[in-house]
Amino acid sequence: MVIGGEEPRVLECGACCGQMRPAFSQRERASKRHVIESSEVCVNQRRSLGVTVFQAPTEEVLATSTETFDVIVLSHVLEHLREPHKTIPLLRDRLAPGGLLYIEVPHTPAEALRPRIAPPWAPPSTEPPLPFLPPGPTPRPPQATKA
């Protein structure tokens, strides 16, 4: 890895049980790994491996930390944050000069968002198609204005 020199600092937000950790561990054995995680089971597992764990909401950790990181990873996490548009600037502030911000989100094909016609034998479903969105209309980003 070119980023971060000999001991790159890696922050994985919403790390769960660490799917990204082995990739960094194999390539950069000397990297300093940090995670933000709330699941007690995953926190204990990560701490047992010597990883620094922040056990608080991602937005809170990013807003209060003064540390910078050479690599920040959000793999299937951004879509779960309450206000992702406010989190992006916090991520930028925690990124070291020349660092890498890796964000991966699921891609839902448009046809999957259309109402499904269930077969008559299927039980009724009350689950919304996108359960991570708050109830009500989907907020729109502010429109750019000409100066």
Side-chain angles (χ1 to χ4, degrees), residues 29-57:
R29 296 195 186 279
S31 63
K32 293 182 179 178
R33 293 178 298 280
H34 301 73
V35 299
I36 299 173
E37 181 55 56
S38 59
S39 163
E40 194 68 39
V41 171
C42 296
V43 166
N44 292 336
Q45 185 263 353
R46 287 318 212 47
R47 286 185 174 146
S48 75
L49 297 171
V51 175
T52 301
V53 179
F54 302 102
Q55 192 173 6

mmCIF file of all heavy atoms in Angstrom, residues 29-57:
data_model
loop_
_atom_site.group_PDB
_atom_site.id
_atom_site.type_symbol
_atom_site.label_atom_id
_atom_site.label_comp_id
_atom_site.label_asym_id
_atom_site.label_seq_id
_atom_site.Cartn_x
_atom_site.Cartn_y
_atom_site.Cartn_z
ATOM 1 N N ARG A 29 0.820 -5.498 7.400
ATOM 2 C CA ARG A 29 0.876 -6.066 8.748
ATOM 3 C C ARG A 29 1.159 -5.005 9.805
ATOM 4 O O ARG A 29 0.762 -5.135 10.946
ATOM 5 C CB ARG A 29 1.908 -7.173 8.802
ATOM 6 C CG ARG A 29 1.524 -8.334 7.889
ATOM 7 C CD ARG A 29 2.334 -9.578 8.206
ATOM 8 N NE ARG A 29 2.047 -10.621 7.243
ATOM 9 C CZ ARG A 29 0.995 -11.418 7.304
ATOM 10 N NH1 ARG A 29 0.130 -11.287 8.258
ATOM 11 N NH2 ARG A 29 0.799 -12.348 6.398
ATOM 12 N N ALA A 30 1.840 -3.938 9.428
ATOM 13 C CA ALA A 30 2.200 -2.895 10.400
ATOM 14 C C ALA A 30 1.133 -1.808 10.500
ATOM 15 O O ALA A 30 1.328 -0.845 11.213
ATOM 16 C CB ALA A 30 3.538 -2.275 10.013
ATOM 17 N N SER A 31 0.015 -1.950 9.802
ATOM 18 C CA SER A 31 -1.001 -0.900 9.847
ATOM 19 C C SER A 31 -1.631 -0.821 11.240
ATOM 20 O O SER A 31 -1.721 -1.810 11.960
ATOM 21 C CB SER A 31 -2.089 -1.147 8.793
ATOM 22 O OG SER A 31 -2.774 -2.345 9.057
ATOM 23 N N LYS A 32 -2.019 0.380 11.586
ATOM 24 C CA LYS A 32 -2.720 0.613 12.856
ATOM 25 C C LYS A 32 -4.206 0.632 12.526
ATOM 26 O O LYS A 32 -4.689 1.532 11.854
ATOM 27 C CB LYS A 32 -2.280 1.936 13.468
ATOM 28 C CG LYS A 32 -0.839 1.923 13.916
ATOM 29 C CD LYS A 32 -0.470 3.237 14.566
ATOM 30 C CE LYS A 32 0.984 3.198 15.023
ATOM 31 N NZ LYS A 32 1.394 4.467 15.620
ATOM 32 N N ARG A 33 -4.914 -0.395 12.991
ATOM 33 C CA ARG A 33 -6.305 -0.557 12.629
ATOM 34 C C ARG A 33 -7.226 -0.089 13.752
ATOM 35 O O ARG A 33 -7.037 -0.437 14.910
ATOM 36 C CB ARG A 33 -6.576 -2.013 12.247
ATOM 37 C CG ARG A 33 -5.841 -2.379 10.958
ATOM 38 C CD ARG A 33 -6.046 -3.819 10.576
ATOM 39 N NE ARG A 33 -5.550 -4.790 11.541
ATOM 40 C CZ ARG A 33 -4.274 -5.158 11.651
ATOM 41 N NH1 ARG A 33 -3.364 -4.618 10.882
ATOM 42 N NH2 ARG A 33 -3.910 -6.052 12.544
ATOM 43 N N HIS A 34 -8.233 0.684 13.343
ATOM 44 C CA HIS A 34 -9.249 1.205 14.252
ATOM 45 C C HIS A 34 -10.605 0.893 13.640
ATOM 46 O O HIS A 34 -10.742 0.902 12.420
ATOM 47 C CB HIS A 34 -9.126 2.727 14.402
ATOM 48 C CG HIS A 34 -7.799 3.178 14.910
ATOM 49 N ND1 HIS A 34 -6.651 3.164 14.145
ATOM 50 C CD2 HIS A 34 -7.430 3.662 16.110
ATOM 51 C CE1 HIS A 34 -5.648 3.622 14.863
ATOM 52 N NE2 HIS A 34 -6.089 3.932 16.064
ATOM 53 N N VAL A 35 -11.594 0.650 14.489
ATOM 54 C CA VAL A 35 -12.939 0.431 13.983
ATOM 55 C C VAL A 35 -13.945 1.204 14.828
ATOM 56 O O VAL A 35 -13.704 1.496 15.998
ATOM 57 C CB VAL A 35 -13.340 -1.066 13.956
ATOM 58 C CG1 VAL A 35 -12.428 -1.866 13.067
ATOM 59 C CG2 VAL A 35 -13.392 -1.660 15.342
ATOM 60 N N ILE A 36 -15.056 1.530 14.187
ATOM 61 C CA ILE A 36 -16.220 2.071 14.880
ATOM 62 C C ILE A 36 -17.282 0.988 14.773
ATOM 63 O O ILE A 36 -17.632 0.569 13.672
ATOM 64 C CB ILE A 36 -16.719 3.375 14.229
ATOM 65 C CG1 ILE A 36 -15.638 4.455 14.273
ATOM 66 C CG2 ILE A 36 -17.999 3.855 14.912
ATOM 67 C CD1 ILE A 36 -15.992 5.716 13.506
ATOM 68 N N GLU A 37 -17.758 0.520 15.918
ATOM 69 C CA GLU A 37 -18.723 -0.588 15.921
ATOM 70 C C GLU A 37 -19.576 -0.502 17.173
ATOM 71 O O GLU A 37 -19.095 -0.109 18.228
ATOM 72 C CB GLU A 37 -17.981 -1.925 15.865
ATOM 73 C CG GLU A 37 -18.855 -3.143 15.849
ATOM 74 C CD GLU A 37 -19.886 -3.131 14.739
ATOM 75 O OE1 GLU A 37 -19.524 -3.007 13.565
ATOM 76 O OE2 GLU A 37 -21.084 -3.233 15.068
ATOM 77 N N SER A 38 -20.845 -0.901 17.050
ATOM 78 C CA SER A 38 -21.735 -0.859 18.211
ATOM 79 C C SER A 38 -22.100 -2.242 18.729
ATOM 80 O O SER A 38 -22.463 -2.379 19.893
ATOM 81 C CB SER A 38 -23.017 -0.079 17.867
ATOM 82 O OG SER A 38 -23.666 -0.695 16.778
ATOM 83 N N SER A 39 -22.011 -3.265 17.907
ATOM 84 C CA SER A 39 -22.367 -4.619 18.327
ATOM 85 C C SER A 39 -21.369 -5.136 19.359
ATOM 86 O O SER A 39 -20.165 -5.212 19.100
ATOM 87 C CB SER A 39 -22.383 -5.560 17.123
ATOM 88 O OG SER A 39 -22.334 -6.912 17.547
ATOM 89 N N GLU A 40 -21.878 -5.505 20.527
ATOM 90 C CA GLU A 40 -21.017 -5.971 21.620
ATOM 91 C C GLU A 40 -20.184 -7.185 21.210
ATOM 92 O O GLU A 40 -18.999 -7.281 21.532
ATOM 93 C CB GLU A 40 -21.873 -6.293 22.851
ATOM 94 C CG GLU A 40 -21.089 -6.446 24.114
ATOM 95 C CD GLU A 40 -20.472 -5.141 24.600
ATOM 96 O OE1 GLU A 40 -21.112 -4.087 24.504
ATOM 97 O OE2 GLU A 40 -19.336 -5.194 25.103
ATOM 98 N N VAL A 41 -20.790 -8.121 20.497
ATOM 99 C CA VAL A 41 -20.077 -9.323 20.053
ATOM 100 C C VAL A 41 -18.914 -8.948 19.140
ATOM 101 O O VAL A 41 -17.791 -9.424 19.307
ATOM 102 C CB VAL A 41 -21.045 -10.286 19.319
ATOM 103 C CG1 VAL A 41 -20.294 -11.423 18.649
ATOM 104 C CG2 VAL A 41 -22.088 -10.816 20.278
ATOM 105 N N CYS A 42 -19.178 -8.070 18.173
ATOM 106 C CA CYS A 42 -18.128 -7.662 17.241
ATOM 107 C C CYS A 42 -17.053 -6.818 17.929
ATOM 108 O O CYS A 42 -15.872 -6.945 17.620
ATOM 109 C CB CYS A 42 -18.736 -6.897 16.069
ATOM 110 S SG CYS A 42 -19.852 -7.910 15.073
ATOM 111 N N VAL A 43 -17.473 -5.969 18.850
ATOM 112 C CA VAL A 43 -16.515 -5.157 19.608
ATOM 113 C C VAL A 43 -15.544 -6.063 20.363
ATOM 114 O O VAL A 43 -14.324 -5.883 20.304
ATOM 115 C CB VAL A 43 -17.242 -4.201 20.575
ATOM 116 C CG1 VAL A 43 -16.289 -3.611 21.606
ATOM 117 C CG2 VAL A 43 -17.942 -3.102 19.802
ATOM 118 N N ASN A 44 -16.077 -7.059 21.060
ATOM 119 C CA ASN A 44 -15.221 -7.978 21.819
ATOM 120 C C ASN A 44 -14.280 -8.752 20.903
ATOM 121 O O ASN A 44 -13.100 -8.935 21.226
ATOM 122 C CB ASN A 44 -16.077 -8.948 22.641
ATOM 123 C CG ASN A 44 -16.811 -8.238 23.765
ATOM 124 O OD1 ASN A 44 -16.403 -7.179 24.222
ATOM 125 N ND2 ASN A 44 -17.917 -8.815 24.188
ATOM 126 N N GLN A 45 -14.793 -9.201 19.765
ATOM 127 C CA GLN A 45 -13.961 -9.948 18.815
ATOM 128 C C GLN A 45 -12.819 -9.073 18.304
ATOM 129 O O GLN A 45 -11.673 -9.492 18.257
ATOM 130 C CB GLN A 45 -14.828 -10.459 17.654
ATOM 131 C CG GLN A 45 -14.104 -11.351 16.677
ATOM 132 C CD GLN A 45 -13.613 -10.608 15.434
ATOM 133 O OE1 GLN A 45 -13.893 -9.446 15.207
ATOM 134 N NE2 GLN A 45 -12.836 -11.306 14.651
ATOM 135 N N ARG A 46 -13.122 -7.835 17.940
ATOM 136 C CA ARG A 46 -12.108 -6.928 17.408
ATOM 137 C C ARG A 46 -11.065 -6.580 18.469
ATOM 138 O O ARG A 46 -9.882 -6.541 18.205
ATOM 139 C CB ARG A 46 -12.754 -5.660 16.867
ATOM 140 C CG ARG A 46 -13.512 -5.875 15.552
ATOM 141 C CD ARG A 46 -12.713 -6.763 14.647
ATOM 142 N NE ARG A 46 -12.809 -6.582 13.246
ATOM 143 C CZ ARG A 46 -12.763 -5.497 12.507
ATOM 144 N NH1 ARG A 46 -12.674 -4.327 13.027
ATOM 145 N NH2 ARG A 46 -12.830 -5.549 11.221
ATOM 146 N N ARG A 47 -11.518 -6.332 19.685
ATOM 147 C CA ARG A 47 -10.579 -6.004 20.762
ATOM 148 C C ARG A 47 -9.657 -7.186 21.055
ATOM 149 O O ARG A 47 -8.488 -6.994 21.382
ATOM 150 C CB ARG A 47 -11.324 -5.566 22.014
ATOM 151 C CG ARG A 47 -11.894 -4.168 21.875
ATOM 152 C CD ARG A 47 -12.544 -3.658 23.131
ATOM 153 N NE ARG A 47 -12.938 -2.260 22.962
ATOM 154 C CZ ARG A 47 -13.997 -1.715 23.506
ATOM 155 N NH1 ARG A 47 -14.781 -2.421 24.309
ATOM 156 N NH2 ARG A 47 -14.294 -0.452 23.286
ATOM 157 N N SER A 48 -10.179 -8.412 20.934
ATOM 158 C CA SER A 48 -9.343 -9.602 21.176
ATOM 159 C C SER A 48 -8.220 -9.716 20.154
ATOM 160 O O SER A 48 -7.221 -10.378 20.400
ATOM 161 C CB SER A 48 -10.194 -10.874 21.155
ATOM 162 O OG SER A 48 -10.562 -11.219 19.831
ATOM 163 N N LEU A 49 -8.372 -9.034 19.016
ATOM 164 C CA LEU A 49 -7.341 -9.041 17.972
ATOM 165 C C LEU A 49 -6.388 -7.853 18.097
ATOM 166 O O LEU A 49 -5.524 -7.664 17.255
ATOM 167 C CB LEU A 49 -7.996 -9.030 16.589
ATOM 168 C CG LEU A 49 -8.863 -10.254 16.269
ATOM 169 C CD1 LEU A 49 -9.621 -10.028 14.965
ATOM 170 C CD2 LEU A 49 -8.013 -11.504 16.199
ATOM 171 N N GLY A 50 -6.587 -7.042 19.122
ATOM 172 C CA GLY A 50 -5.714 -5.892 19.334
ATOM 173 C C GLY A 50 -6.090 -4.673 18.522
ATOM 174 O O GLY A 50 -5.293 -3.741 18.391
ATOM 175 N N VAL A 51 -7.303 -4.647 17.992
ATOM 176 C CA VAL A 51 -7.768 -3.509 17.198
ATOM 177 C C VAL A 51 -8.353 -2.466 18.145
ATOM 178 O O VAL A 51 -9.055 -2.801 19.098
ATOM 179 C CB VAL A 51 -8.834 -3.970 16.174
ATOM 180 C CG1 VAL A 51 -9.417 -2.797 15.415
ATOM 181 C CG2 VAL A 51 -8.239 -4.997 15.220
ATOM 182 N N THR A 52 -8.067 -1.194 17.900
ATOM 183 C CA THR A 52 -8.655 -0.110 18.677
ATOM 184 C C THR A 52 -10.104 0.049 18.252
ATOM 185 O O THR A 52 -10.389 0.205 17.068
ATOM 186 C CB THR A 52 -7.891 1.211 18.442
ATOM 187 O OG1 THR A 52 -6.532 1.022 18.809
ATOM 188 C CG2 THR A 52 -8.496 2.347 19.247
ATOM 189 N N VAL A 53 -11.023 0.010 19.222
ATOM 190 C CA VAL A 53 -12.453 0.065 18.917
ATOM 191 C C VAL A 53 -13.075 1.291 19.561
ATOM 192 O O VAL A 53 -12.897 1.540 20.749
ATOM 193 C CB VAL A 53 -13.175 -1.209 19.414
ATOM 194 C CG1 VAL A 53 -14.663 -1.128 19.112
ATOM 195 C CG2 VAL A 53 -12.569 -2.460 18.793
ATOM 196 N N PHE A 54 -13.820 2.042 18.748
ATOM 197 C CA PHE A 54 -14.657 3.136 19.243
ATOM 198 C C PHE A 54 -16.073 2.585 19.271
ATOM 199 O O PHE A 54 -16.620 2.231 18.229
ATOM 200 C CB PHE A 54 -14.603 4.347 18.315
ATOM 201 C CG PHE A 54 -13.217 4.898 18.103
ATOM 202 C CD1 PHE A 54 -12.527 4.620 16.935
ATOM 203 C CD2 PHE A 54 -12.615 5.689 19.061
ATOM 204 C CE1 PHE A 54 -11.257 5.127 16.722
ATOM 205 C CE2 PHE A 54 -11.342 6.208 18.854
ATOM 206 C CZ PHE A 54 -10.664 5.923 17.685
ATOM 207 N N GLN A 55 -16.670 2.489 20.443
ATOM 208 C CA GLN A 55 -18.011 1.933 20.565
ATOM 209 C C GLN A 55 -18.995 3.074 20.795
ATOM 210 O O GLN A 55 -19.426 3.350 21.912
ATOM 211 C CB GLN A 55 -18.083 0.903 21.691
ATOM 212 C CG GLN A 55 -19.345 0.089 21.682
ATOM 213 C CD GLN A 55 -19.327 -1.036 22.696
ATOM 214 O OE1 GLN A 55 -18.415 -1.153 23.504
ATOM 215 N NE2 GLN A 55 -20.337 -1.865 22.654
ATOM 216 N N ALA A 56 -19.336 3.736 19.698
ATOM 217 C CA ALA A 56 -20.259 4.867 19.716
ATOM 218 C C ALA A 56 -20.751 5.060 18.282
ATOM 219 O O ALA A 56 -20.164 4.509 17.354
ATOM 220 C CB ALA A 56 -19.546 6.122 20.226
ATOM 221 N N PRO A 57 -21.799 5.851 18.097
ATOM 222 C CA PRO A 57 -22.258 6.108 16.733
ATOM 223 C C PRO A 57 -21.153 6.738 15.871
ATOM 224 O O PRO A 57 -20.356 7.541 16.361
ATOM 225 C CB PRO A 57 -23.428 7.076 16.918
ATOM 226 C CG PRO A 57 -23.916 6.806 18.311
ATOM 227 C CD PRO A 57 -22.679 6.450 19.092
#
